[in-house]
Structures are given as C-alpha cells and as structure tokens.
C-alpha cells in the first residue's frame, strides 16, 4: 500500500485557479513579494518534505507509539530526527513574522502545510501543531522579558510548546479550573495543580518545552474571569529542571504518536502572560487559527483515507460489475462497482468542498491581519468568526465518518491493521472532541455568534458570497437559512438555541458547501471529470441533507422538543 | 464505571407488551409449553449469567486480548472458564431441538440472549456465535454418520465450530475460492488451501473445533456452483490432530477477544456436507439467522455504549445548563445540557425501534419454521428474507455511529481507554463488514429480492403492517416506498439498481422504524416518558431522513448518476 502523497495539484488548483490566492495575497503590503511562483514553490517543497520525511513514520507512530518511562516520554523511532529536520529546514517558522526569525509567509500556506502533515502523520504533527498558537499568544500578550527568551525559539521550533488548560474536573468548562499560581517577590509565580490531556507535555523532540498554563491567583474570583495565563518552561534559564512533572501518558483509541500527558505542576516557577484574570482572553487570540488547524486535520485525514481506498479499489477484483460497467474477466476491479464508486465520489466531493472553504477561511485570516482597509479586515474577521466553528465541526465529523466509509471499501481487510486505514479512523476520532467539542462549536455558532445580533453578521457573509456567484439553488438555501435564523432569533429561547444548534450548524455548512461546489465547477477546468464528477455526486447525495436539516429546524421553531 | 447491565425490563416490555410473544409462541405446537412465565424466567436467568460471568471480562478481552503462540491461540484470562460455565449451563443449546440434546426454545429467545452477550462482551460472544448456524447446517445437510459424531456436541457447545469461507482473493466474491478437496477411496476428502478471517479458527475454549470449509472438488466448475461444503475437525475421531493449522491471528482495530485466524488446510481430512456443488446452498440455510445475530450485536453494542454515556452524563458536571434546565450550582450534570440530552434521547430511540423490529423478525423466524399453516410460514419467510438485510445494515451502522455519538458525551475522556467506551466503537466497526458488507445487504435487498418480483413481496409485507397499525404518516411513507419501487422496477437498469441500493435500504429501514415507534407508543405504557420521549426524538430527528432518501431516490430514477 503506497503511503500518503500530498495532493499538491489539487491544492494549487483550489488556491490559485479558484480562489486566486496568487492575486489576493500579493495585493497585501505584508505579502507584496509573495507571488504565485513563490507560493507554488513553497507548496512543492512542503509536499516533498511531508512525503519523504513525515509520511514514512505513520505506522510506527501507531505501534509502538510513544512510551512512558519513569517521567520521561520516548517518541516513536524516527520521530525526533524528523522533527529536527523540520525545524532546521525552517518549516515551523513559515508564517511567523520575519522580525521574530520567521519567514513571514501567509497563514493560509501554513494551513495547507499542516493539512498535508496531518494526512501523512497526524500523531507526529501534533507536536509542532501548537507552536504557531503559542507564538501568537506570547507575541501579543507576553512581557518583553519573556519574549526575549522564548519568542524566537518558539517561532523557529527549537523549543516546542504546550497549552495546559484541562483539569480532571474542568474540560469544556475551563472556568472550574483550580490550578493555583502564587506571586513571588521577584515577579515570578509558583504554580501548583494537575493538568490532563496535555499533548506533548513531555517528549524527547526538543531540549526544552514551554508550557502555557491556565491558573488562578490567590483571591481571584471563581469562574473564567479568575483565570490568568502563565508560562512555565520545563528547563529554567539556568538549565535546571523546573518542577513540572509528567506522571503518565494516556492510553488512547488512536493518535499513539502523540503523547497525551498527565502533568503535575509542583510549585513550579512561571511568569504571567498578559493581565491578571485575562487568561482565557490571551488564549482566544489564537482560537480561530487553532480551530481551522483542526478542520484541516480532518481534511488531511480524509484525503489520506481516500487515497488508500482508491488505490485498493483499483487493485482489488471481486465479482462482476453490473450492466455496461462489466469487464471481461471473472471479476472486475471493485472501483467499477457502483457501491464503491459512490463512496469514492462522495468522499472526494467532501474533500473538494471542505478544502475550498478551509482555504478561503485561511485567506480571510490573512486578510483580517494584513489588509490595509479596516472595513475589509472587519469583514474578514467576521467571516473567520462565523465560518471557523462550522468548519471545525463539519471537517472533523467528515474526517472520521468519511474515513470509516473509506475503510468499508476494503471489506474485512479494512479492519486489520496491515492496511493502515483503520489507524486513520482511530486517529481522526479525537478531532471531533479537542479544541472545543463539535457540540460546543455549534453552540458557539448559533448562541454566541449568530443570535446575539439577530443574524446580521451571518447575513452579511452570505450576501458577500452571493455577489461572488449567481446561482439559484445557492440563493434559495441562503434565503431559507435567513428565514430560520429570524425564527430562532425571534423565539428568544436559550434552551431552543442549544437544542437547534447542531442542525443549524450542519445547515450553514451545507449551504456554504453548495456554494463551494458551484464555485469549483464554474472555475477553469471545472467541467473536467476530476472536478465535475464529485460535484455531481455532492448535488445528488450530500446536498439533500440541507433540506432535511431545515425540516428539523422548522419543526423545532414551531414546537421545541420538551425538556 | 459500572459494566453492562442487561436491559431485561425493556426487552420484556417489547417482547410481551408490544409484540405479545407470550401469546404468539405458545400458539405454535412446537412451543405449546413455552408460556410467558417460562420465557420471562429464561430471560432473567440469561441476564444474570451475562452480567455476572461475561460482562466482567469485557476489558480483558481488549487487552491483553488473544495471544498467538506457535500455532496455539490463548484466549484472554477468564474466557475459557466463562465458556465452560456457559456450555455446562446449557446456554448454547437453548434453541436446538430437544432430540439433539437442545432445550427446544424459540429462536427469538436465543436472539435476545446473544444481544445481551454482545453488549456485555462482543469478543467473547464471537466464540459461541457460530454454533447455532453450524448446528442447523449439519442437521439439514449432514450425513447420518457425521451427525452422530458431531451434531449433539455442537448443539451442546461442547465443541465449537467455524465457518471457513474467505480466502485472500475471495471475500465478498466466494465464487473465486480455490481451496481444493480431493476425494479418497474411503469417502473422505483431503482438503488443501488457505482461509482467512476465520473467527475462532484456533483457541483454548474447547477440546475440539469443527471447521465447515468451502472447497472445490477436482473438475468442479469455476464460480460459486463449483463449491461444496466440507467438515474438517481439529481432532479426528481417534483423537489425533488433523492437518489444520493456524498460521497467525490478525491484528485488528478491535474485537481483540476473538481470534481472527489465518488457517492452512494441509491435506486435511474432511467429509462433504450435502451434495457436491451445493456448498453455498448448505450455508444459506442459516444466513437469515446469522445476519439477524449480527443485527442484534449492533443493538447490544449500542445499548452498552448508551448505558455508559448515560451513567457518565448523570455524574459529570460542566457548565450551567440553559434556561429552565439550569440548576443551583456552578455547573450542572451534563445530562441537563440539550446537546447531551439530544444524543441520549436519539440513541435511545434507535435502540427501541431497532430492537422491536429485530425481535419481530426473530419471532417471524420461529413462525417460518414452526407455524402449522404453510401460507403463514411463507409469509414469515418473506418477512425474514426482506427485513433481515435491512436490519443487518441499519443496526450495525447505528451500532457504530451511535456508539461514536455516545463516546462524544465523554468529551476527551471518551478517547482514552479507561472508560471502555472507545472499545465499543472499535469492536462494533466490524459488524458493518462481516456476514456480508452493508453495501452487499443493500444490493441483496433491492436487486435480488425486491426488483425481481416488481416489489410485490415487499408490498405484501408493508400491507400486513398497515393492517396492524392505522397511522397516516406510516401509510404515506409506505406509499412513497411503493411508488419509488415501481419506478426502479420499471427502469430495468441493473446499474441504477446498484447505485440506488443504499438509499433504498435506508428508506425501507426508516419506514419500518416509523411503524415501530408508532407501535411502541400505542402499546401499554407507550405514553410514559420512558417510551414516548425517545419516540418523540425519533420523529423530530431521525424520521426526516426518510424524505431525504426519497428525494435522492427520485432524482436517481429521473437521472441516474453517470457511470
């Protein structure tokens, strides 16, 4: 079975031919020199690195996976060397500012890189996956002193970083966190508490590990407003070991290549990042980018699963296909069988549509940061705020359920480890949970973002898409969305909002996807079988879910489910 | 986390209060003495055995799981003792005929027993899961000599049995199988070939293992019509070892408690079961029962996952619930949050509806075998033939995807092994594949069973359900099904039939489920929250999929997807 191949041709087509990133980006002063050739060349090099260095470590990431040995964590054979090659080649610094030692390239390019990395090896990719977020957090909220020691080393990837948020009793509800940070005379803090589910809390990839820790100062109010953010490194400046301990790593369903650590801060030395009581705020700087990263993981994993299924379906022969699809032999390649074609065409359609929306959102992240016009920046920010939770949920849902459909193509062979497809299903399952469960994304979208302004921001996003594409079914779906949004807003019922949130998020996602597939088929080469066939499968088999969700939402607005 | 508890109250309610099995069964001469008290008592005892003996071995079935040691297979600690207790208590013989040493009880009771066993411990249950099928096969097709040696020992469970069908290049397409069986002067055969995916091909649960092997005699025609069935035991009558070898066991996504063996028949001694060239036919005797077993595995696994999620949701507190659902403290039990309630109510609805349909089908299996009236037997046979593939597919799809929804209730805790929920997701995945993939079930339903008679048999089943329940939405769904069936039959297009098969199967399943939920709410206690609340969730959130499937089917009948 061939290992994952980065889909650079497809990625380039969507970025350049459809989204015209090679015109949008150089128009921004920050990226005046980032032309299509440069973008294309970086993509090409990224693809090579991923295919040559990272993809071959996929199986070893699952078994043996990471090992815990008396406080130390050993990553799988080859992981450390691959990581060293990664940071020495400058990949972690791709989208960090040049003044911090970064390469100053657009975020969307980093997004595409992480999509490839996740498809090739989700477990390995978890290690550098938090770097950019930690960098942004420190850059915007850290003191000059902290920045001088840590910022460039995080930007370059010389030191890896963690986010220590969750505690055993405080997961989705971080406001319940109890870890304490006691101020010292020298301005530092002593941090004590237990943190769980800490990806990369301990490992052998870098000398130092920089922990960003949510904790509460003495006398701070209960709830989220009492939380501050602290930086506590594994090694202190003098090279001595801080009292930050990894007590064990979790045994998980998958993602064995990434150590999920139980961390104990035992009077550990740290420094506050940003103002007291503003810990969640400091982290939220990076939330949209982090969620979009997770959405791109879903896409990368689905692409990896699709590639395996397609290759297997080309090789494997079983039974004769029906009608005109029938070949000459005793059995046809299973790709000729409609049941297999259906899975491949449908999942291909999901990948195409979700990828277009995710890349568009990546571009909007760059526009929100770098566009000279404040109103365009605000519109981009609005896009990211609304579309990111939708993508985080839909891409990860499809990453898992689509990978499971691809497993089905293998029949019984899909269930055994040999082919690597079941690993993708297991690995992908966590993406529906972390960075805010998909249910929380739905509540974030409807209750926190759409309803408070009566749906105006969403209406503005939809209107901007309508100006880009004149398509009757898209317009009808958008109109239906606006109508149900009005009904939900009019109800002013927080319970109904939570009950309707998941169906609402799916409906928004499908309406956006309908736009995306239409956009793809109207772009250059859009009528070629490569792009038109999956889009046709989407219209036939995926988009009817939109009407189903609307039917459920309409029923709920009329008669909310009894509590 | 409490382990699986058999849902005997719910099972009894559906069997007796809704389906009136305590009146239907004693009306059959074969079960004249099987009254409600006896059925109830057996269920109660079965529940106790499952809870006390089998459920506690669930975790150990996953890790360490089965071990391969130089041709031998060691099952997990405790498995052999539990199996010994199982056969010594007579459970394998529950539905075997009294003249073969069985207890002569109805098949539906065995079905309920296996649902519980699968929920408690899917891996362990695989071992006895094939017994009844092997028993029926041998009883109907074996020679007197074979029966005298093997039948009673299989019926009692003293010896376990396997089905050796799949070969590396012949999975869904058994007609490609190459294993050879060469006749000997004494009437025996020498069997040579490789078989894969053989559940329980080797183990330490019983002294002997009886293999039923599909193979081809010299000169037999190519394809399925050249296949005959053979019996080849691990130990020959003189106690010597036959040349049947286990070369390895597969490393799988889950189900580690069941050894999936690669078997090598190396000139092994065997005897033919039934006529030459009628091997598939001999196996098909047991196909409906075997598929219904798998459907019940899906239900049992979903019930087990639901129980875990519900218990966790009662205990775990996070965030305050919205509106009137809000409690007094800083955080509410997550079961008060609509996102969690929605998952629990919807999966509860799936369990209730699928269970009713599966038990009804179990009763029809008994009626097909034992009803004195030939036309009632034929109607029952028709029901089983049509409804079984629907249930195999829908129950296993929901077993997996519903277990995954239940995992979501745990947030990050669901992804770690500690809580046992991720094991259920991994274990359940295989049920969508074995005993005919769900895609093959769909083709079996539409192309082999519904279309050849223009939909008449299906129409008869639907009509019989309409006479039992006068419900307008059910009638409308049935009418829509009939209409789309006519359109598919009129098209006379085998490719279209294969393309439409999955959506068609889902539509039939949802129409039957709509009937089932209505039936449940109109039965005694049907208006109590226990039964009415899940049914309401089903109407709101599950049944709208029916219209979506119909929309897809109608589009396909108008304009089939290009090949």
């Amino acid at each position: 079975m061939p290992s994952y191949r980065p889909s650079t041709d497809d990625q380039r087509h969507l970025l350049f031919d459809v989204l015209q990133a090679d015109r949008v980006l150089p128009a921004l002063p920050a990226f005046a020199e980032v032309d299509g050739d440069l973008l294309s060349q970086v993509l090409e090099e990224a693809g090579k690195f991923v295919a040559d260095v990272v993809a071959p470590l996929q199986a070893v990431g699952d078994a043996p996976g990471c090992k815990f040995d008396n406080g130390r964590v050993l990553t799988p054979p080859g992981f450390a060397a691959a990581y060293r090659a990664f940071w020495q080649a400058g990949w972690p610094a791709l989208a960090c500012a040049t003044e911090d030692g970064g390469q100053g390239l657009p975020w969307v390019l980093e997004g595409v890189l992480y999509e490839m990395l996740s498809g090739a090896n989700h477990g390995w990719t978890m290690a550098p996956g938090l770097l950019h977020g930690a960098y942004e957090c420190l850059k915007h909220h850290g003191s000059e002193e902290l920045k001088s020691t840590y910022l460039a080393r995080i930007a370059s990837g010389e030191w890896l970083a963690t986010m220590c948020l969750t505690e055993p009793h405080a997961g989705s509800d971080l406001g319940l966190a109890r870890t304490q940070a006691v101020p010292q005379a020298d301005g530092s803090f002593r941090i004590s508490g237990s943190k769980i589910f800490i990806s990369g809390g301990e490992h052998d990839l870098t000398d130092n590990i920089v922990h960003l820790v949510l904790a509460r100062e003495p006398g701070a109010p209960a709830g989220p407003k009492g939380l501050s953010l602290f930086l506590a490194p594994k090694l202190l400046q003098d090279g001595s070991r801080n009292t930050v301990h990894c007590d064990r790593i979790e045994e998980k369903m998958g993602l064995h290549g990434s150590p999920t650590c139980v961390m104990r801060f035992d009077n550990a030395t740290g420094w506050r990042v940003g103002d007291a009581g503003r810990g969640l705020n400091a982290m939220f700087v990076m939330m949209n980018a982090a969620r979009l990263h997770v959405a791109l993981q879903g896409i990368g994993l689905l692409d990896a699963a699709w590639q395996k299924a397609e290759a297997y379906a080309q090789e494997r022969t079983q039974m004769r296909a029906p009608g005109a699809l029938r070949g000459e032999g005793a059995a046809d390649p299973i790709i000729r069988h409609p049941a297999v074609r259906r899975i491949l065409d449908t999942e291909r359609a999901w990948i195409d549509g979700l990828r277009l929306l995710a890349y568009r959102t990546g571009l909007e992240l760059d526009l929100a940061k770098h566009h000279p016009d404040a109103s365009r920046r605000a519109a981009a920010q609005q896009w990211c705020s609304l579309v990111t939770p939708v993508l985080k949920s839909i891409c990860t849902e499809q990453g898992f359920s689509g990978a499971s459909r691809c497993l089905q193509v293998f029949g019984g062979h899909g269930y055994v480890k040999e082919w690597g497809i079941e690993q993708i299903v297991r690995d992908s399952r966590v993406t529906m949970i972390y960075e805010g469960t998909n249910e929380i994304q739905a509540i974030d979208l409807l209750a926190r973002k759409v309803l408070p302004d009566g749906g105006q921001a969403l209406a503005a996003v939809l209107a901007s898409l309508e100006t880009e594409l004149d398509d009757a079914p898209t317009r009808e779906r958008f109109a239906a969305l606006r109508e149900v949004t009005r009904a939900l807003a009019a109800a002013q019922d927080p319970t109904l909002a939570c009950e309707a949130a998941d169906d609402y998020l799916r409906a928004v996602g499908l309406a956006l996807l309908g736009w995306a597939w239409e956009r793809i088929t109207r772009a250059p080469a859009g009528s070629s079988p490569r792009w038109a066939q999956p889009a046709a499968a989407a219209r036939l088999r995926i988009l009817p879910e939109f009407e189903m969700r609307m039917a459920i939402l309409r029923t709920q607005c009329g008669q909310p489910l009894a509590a």
Side-chain angles (χ1 to χ4, degrees), chain A:
Chain A
M1 177 106 301
S3 62
Y4 171 83
R5 293 150 287 143
S7 305
T8 22
D9 288 346
D10 287 359
Q11 293 169 329
R12 222 184 331 238
H13 176 75
L14 294 174
L15 272 177
F16 304 150
D17 302 335
V18 186
L19 292 172
Q20 305 189 300
D22 49 345
R23 286 207 272 160
V24 172
L25 291 169
L28 304 176
F31 304 127
E33 286 162 41
V34 181
D35 63 7
D37 283 351
L38 176 59
L39 289 168
S40 210
Q41 196 187 326
V42 175
L43 272 184
E44 200 66 36
E45 287 303 314
K48 272 189 205 144
F49 184 88
V50 170
D52 295 347
V53 179
V54 181
L57 301 173
Q58 162 79 339
V60 82
D62 191 50
C66 294
K67 296 286 173 206
F68 181 75
D69 176 24
N70 196 24
R72 295 187 323 142
V73 172
L74 307 171
T75 58
F79 268 39
Y83 182 73
R84 195 171 181 82
F86 186 71
W87 80 261
Q88 289 187 341
W91 290 113
L94 201 66
C96 298
T98 47
E99 70 260 27
D100 304 317
Q103 304 198 28
L105 286 165
W107 190 94
V108 68
L109 207 59
E110 184 184 284
V112 178
L113 168 65
Y114 274 89
E115 181 209 308
M116 296 184 206
L117 287 168
S118 302
N121 194 326
H122 183 187
W124 184 90
T125 303
M126 290 296 289
L130 286 172
L131 271 181
H132 195 99
Y135 160 80
E136 293 280 348
C137 180
L138 199 59
K139 186 176 172 79
H140 287 92
H141 298 282
S143 66
E144 289 310 316
E145 206 180 334
L146 280 181
K147 287 203 265 192
S148 70
T149 310
Y150 295 101
L151 194 62
R153 277 154 162 161
I154 289 175
S156 71
E158 182 186 347
W159 292 350
L160 281 165
T162 72
M163 297 285 165
C164 299
L165 315 179
T166 306
E167 300 182 9
H169 56 284
S172 297
D173 190 355
L174 291 173
L176 300 176
R178 291 182 200 141
T179 295
Q180 284 283 327
V182 179
Q184 307 295 306
D186 64 356
S188 71
F189 288 77
R190 293 300 189 127
I191 302 169
S192 298
S194 286
K195 294 285 182 181
I196 61 169
F197 299 160
I198 309 309
S199 295
E202 177 59 46
H203 56 68
D204 52 10
L205 301 179
T206 51
D207 300 333
N208 204 355
I209 301 172
V210 182
H211 303 287
L212 294 174
V213 191
L214 269 191
R216 208 177 282 282
E217 294 179 39
K225 289 180 182 157
L227 291 170
S228 306
L229 190 67
F230 298 87
L231 182 155
K234 173 178 169 179
L235 301 179
L236 297 166
Q237 274 98 317
D238 63 3
S240 67
R241 187 76 199 250
N242 201 355
T243 47
V244 180
H245 308 282
C246 175
D247 282 342
R248 64 183 170 88
I249 62 175
E250 304 285 357
E251 288 189 57
K252 307 190 295 294
M253 182 180 189
L255 210 62
H256 302 155
S258 173
T260 303
C261 302
V262 174
M263 301 299 291
R264 183 166 40 88
F265 292 83
D266 186 9
N267 229 14
T269 300
W271 297 271
R272 198 171 64 217
V273 178
D275 295 333
R278 302 282 289 162
L280 288 177
N281 180 263
M283 279 179 19
F284 284 174
V285 167
M286 51 198 169
M287 191 157 68
N288 281 331
R291 287 182 177 180
L292 188 55
H293 257 176
V294 176
L296 285 158
Q297 289 173 356
I299 296 171
L301 288 161
L302 182 55
D303 192 20
W306 188 91
Q307 289 183 18
K308 280 184 187 287
E310 202 263 351
Y312 186 82
Q314 297 277 10
E315 289 295 320
R316 174 79 170 176
T317 57
Q318 288 288 277
M319 293 188 283
R320 300 189 68 188
L325 305 168
R326 180 166 293 197
E328 296 300 314
D332 293 310
I334 60 171
I335 201 164
R336 291 197 183 203
H337 289 276
V340 170
R341 268 248 72 89
R342 195 187 52 243
I343 293 172
L344 293 174
D345 283 350
T346 311
E347 299 310 324
R348 174 87 274 171
W350 278 107
I351 297 168
D352 293 349
L354 292 173
R355 205 175 242 161
L356 188 75
L357 291 176
Y359 292 0
R360 168 70 180 259
T361 306
L363 282 171
E364 297 284 343
L365 271 179
D366 284 315
L367 292 169
K369 206 166 163 185
H370 297 294
H371 201 282
D373 178 353
S375 72
R376 183 65 187 88
R377 286 203 303 278
Q381 188 56 48
Q382 202 168 56
W383 171 289
C384 295
S385 163
L386 287 163
V387 178
T388 305
V390 176
L391 287 178
K392 192 281 176 181
S393 172
I394 296 207
C395 294
T396 59
E397 171 77 35
Q398 203 58 34
F400 173 69
S401 66
S404 171
R405 294 271 159 235
C406 290
L407 183 155
Q408 196 73 2
V409 169
F410 289 75
H413 297 276
Y415 198 66
V416 301
K417 294 193 178 276
E418 196 174 346
W419 296 91
I421 182 80
E422 64 85 36
Q423 182 188 345
I424 300 178
V425 177
R426 285 185 291 109
D427 286 1
S428 68
R429 183 62 184 81
V430 73
T431 62
M432 294 165 68
I433 299 169
Y434 62 29
E435 208 63 53
T437 67
N438 286 359
E439 288 71 19
I440 285 176
Q441 305 296 324
I443 294 168
D444 179 54
L445 173 71
L446 182 59
R448 290 189 209 133
K449 290 173 175 167
V450 169
L451 293 183
D453 77 352
Q456 286 182 45
L458 179 71
V461 165
L462 298 179
S464 78
L465 291 177
E466 281 173 327
T467 65
E468 293 178 34
L469 180 80
D470 184 22
D471 174 55
T474 297
R475 269 205 314 277
E476 281 163 32
R477 283 184 213 109
F478 287 5
L481 266 187
R482 287 190 196 96
E483 180 213 310
V484 86
T485 306
R486 271 194 299 274
L488 287 165
Q492 301 230 348
D493 178 346
T495 308
L496 172 64
C498 289
E499 283 168 354
D502 285 80
D503 291 298
Y504 187 84
L505 181 144
R506 291 291 296 185
V508 172
L510 288 157
L512 295 174
L513 280 163
W515 175 91
W517 287 308
E518 201 57 37
R519 182 81 202 259
I520 288 171
T521 51
R522 294 187 189 196
S527 58
S528 67
R530 162 63 189 90
W531 299 103
Q533 194 168 323
R539 278 182 216 108
L540 176 65
R541 301 188 189 280
I542 301 175
L543 284 172
E545 188 193 325
F546 177 82
E547 273 309 320
M548 181 184 95
R549 299 290 173 181
M550 293 308 294
I552 297 174
L553 288 164
R554 288 183 190 121
T555 307
Q556 286 186 288
C557 290
Q559 42 181 90
L561 192 63

